[in-house]
Amino acid sequence: MNPRYTAPVLTLSIFATLVFGLATFALAGVSAADTPTAPTAELISALKKVKDGPLPQNFDPGRGVEFLGDYIYLSGITAGTIHYFKRDVKTGTVAYVGAINDTTIKSMIFLKAAGGHLYGLGWTVWGVNDDGKCKGLSWYDIEPGTGKPVQKGTLDVASAALFNARFITGPEGKELYGLFNTAAGVKLTWVKLAADGTPSVGGEVAGQGLSENLSLSPDGKFIYSVADHKISIIDRKPTGEIAYKGNVSLDPLYPIDGPKAENERDLRPSLAGISPDGKWFYLCMHSNEGFANSYFAIYKRDVASGELTLSEGGSASNPVCARFANLAGMELQFLPGSSTKAYLTSGSCLLQSVEVDGATGRLSVLSDLVLGKAEEVKCRPIQPILFDFKNGLMYGMGVWQTGSYGEHQRGLWTAKLGTTPATGERADLKATVASAADAKPANEADWPCWRGPNGDGKVSLKGIRKDWSGGLRKVWDVAGLSPGDVTWSAPIVQGNKLFVMGTHGFVDELFCFDADKGGRPLWISELPGGGGDVTRSGGRDGWCGGPVATPYASGDKIYVTVGGRFTCFQAADGKVLWRKNVLSACHVYAASPLAWDGVLIVPGIFPPGEKPSLLAGLKADSGEIVWRYGVGEPNGGDSPTFGHVSPLRMKINGVEQVVYNTGALACGLDPKTGKPYWEHRYVVKGSNVNATEPVTDGSILAVMLGDGEGSPMGVQIENNTTAKPLWGKKGFRAMWSDPILRDGFLYMFASDGLYSAGNSDFRCVDIKTGDAKWIEKKTGCGTTVEVDGSLLCLTYSGDLWLLNPTPEGFKKITEWKGAIKTEPWWTANGGNSPAPCWSVPVIARGKLYLRYSNTLACYDLLK
């Protein structure tokens, strides 16, 4: 995928995509840098309830959204409500008009426009049995000049109970086709529409493989319906009559051991679309368990007979099977008059623009399609997108954050397609530029990766200022990195470039700034996928909205991970070089990779469909798997958390090695082969949030444990072959704060829990015995780095300390209260509280960089 932003031309971005990683099959071309990018889509307007307007208090949209002429219609959850809006096709703006209440409908579930009329489907009052299922149709004329729906009548559809109703229209809008769940099984019903819109049942067919997934072939001759194991093919005559033709088994798409096999539980198919030339048929297979095992199947379609032949797809054990993480219900929206250009959507989340290879049916990515406007970044789209290609517009429903992170309301948005990227900065990205004197670097020490240049949280900078009573002098800052989402990923600095992750709605981004000067980004490159809904999707949940892991700079490449998907960027311009998907089991994937002599070492599960591994070594220039370690190993704890701890480069007993701790196993590995030098297994009872890095003095490894029934432990590594327990200390936990080792003592925050705002303390611990030399109580928790022989600590609540690391006691040299102004957030536990300062401070080139979710500030440590 192309990075679409290069200074000085930047687009506006808000939302685009749910998390997915690309392999080698359906979306071929993991590097699409040579293909032209599709246009962006500019957000024109959005209607959401703000206090008493512009939407009414009873605004409660359901699943249905349609437009007719100059009006858009939304079904309402309460009673038979239909909300309607006036749209201006010249400007793209939308205004709320009002609502009607159809007393014959208990709850309006679905709307469909056909032949200039509107058809509503819901729980009816007139149905024969009050069983809580949809029973029939109510149809409406549209009042000229006002757009108001006027009910004309109702229709029992074979006295059947409609199940998860979805109707499609005939090619000329003269009929509807819907699926009904009857005592005799699921039936496809043909509803004829008279010239005045009056519906009547024309016929029905029964068959295997019928479900709510329906699609009409481009020539109107065939209807396809997809169920768990079959694709049904229905003949359709020009008169609208239908007849069951046959079905295609989906068994080849399931794992060899059946749909309940490991890593493939509850796979479900959904019909994604048919190319306009009729040659290619697309199917998405997805799992209910987070959709983490979704993939895309392509069928070659015989245009004359409608028959389907599997082209690519198959069992998850098939290595050519392309995988998508966290996707379901994907749909292809082809541009008018084109069989090669399309938009790939899921629900109401516009994912990407794609191009179809006419010879193979494969899809290659052109770009993410994003929306822009600063005040709308907190929108989470829902429901299908409506495209008005004639006027270059699209419409969708969204959920807006209206107060704190847990307060939401629904509304309607509209955007214009094909707009030209705006010149200058993105409107919601505000950056300052350093003065000529401040921009000059003090020294050349970089911070290229997690835990700094040596992986121990230390830098060599000397001569820092040690009076912070008036704060530190700000050199430059930027706001707008992750508006509306809490994002913990820390920046890195290599040479005069700073790299930092952000997110805008449904698209994650890698920003590149001048580390010394700040100002407008040098480039911004998008990552397909990090978003999700407000609850849990795509590796995100109530704790996080954006990227968590810190990037890694190595030579001319930058490696990042979001939601368990690794991406390699070209440092000079943000070009994507390769991607590799990791299907993580944790709620957020926070582990950073480790680059070492041409090998990129990552925690992960490789390849899809096989047993998980603890670590994998990839070729740094291609992402190809070199080795896997710990295949099938348990990850620790009864409720294991995977992907929080990063592999580190350490020297133990004179040997450089990869050291990693999973929460059940600590190990030292050969980076080239993945073979272990030593291993230490241990048991932690209960949940073990393992998010703290191990530390070594060269022979003893201090392993920090989280919130389970365990404790920090010391492990003696003998001859790099044997690991023996040396000590274990209960009574404190190190859940997410990495210690600093100095002169044989660990200086560390000991957290009382994830949020650590209560009884956490700061302590000095002897690495040889585990004994605490001293404990400073009720400090709160935080993060720590070492600079100029002192400890720089950023507390959970945003204060900055400078400590003297001495076993004689807690000695604060200086502090800066309120260095970061915290903001409210919403957690998965509910309630409002300040968002924590979880991003570790970064020190490079004489500057201190503090990242707090949406903002990044650079301070001078020397002047």
Side-chain angles (χ1 to χ4, degrees), residues 163-164 166 179 186 188 207-216 223-234 244 246-250 253-254 267-274 281-286 297 299 308 330:
F163 177 73
N164 284 339
R166 180 179 180 182
L179 288 157
V186 179
L188 178 67
Q208 301 177 31
L210 290 172
S211 79
E212 66 269 20
N213 290 282
L214 291 172
S215 184
L216 184 70
I223 295 174
Y224 296 87
S225 178
V226 181
D228 287 344
H229 287 274
K230 292 180 174 62
I231 305 172
S232 285
I233 306 175
I234 294 97
Y244 187 77
N247 62 70
V248 176
S249 174
L250 298 182
L253 298 179
Y254 284 92
L267 274 174
R268 293 188 175 186
S270 60
L271 206 161
I274 305 171
F281 180 99
Y282 297 91
L283 195 70
C284 174
M285 299 292 291
H286 61 83
Y299 288 82
L308 305 174
M330 294 187 298

Side-chain angles (χ1 to χ4, degrees), residues 318-342:
N318 185 340
V320 302
C321 175
R323 311 288 294 189
F324 292 81
N326 302 294
L327 288 182
M330 294 187 298
E331 292 184 86
L332 284 168
Q333 300 277 353
F334 283 87
L335 277 65
S338 175
S339 288
T340 60
K341 298 291 196 305

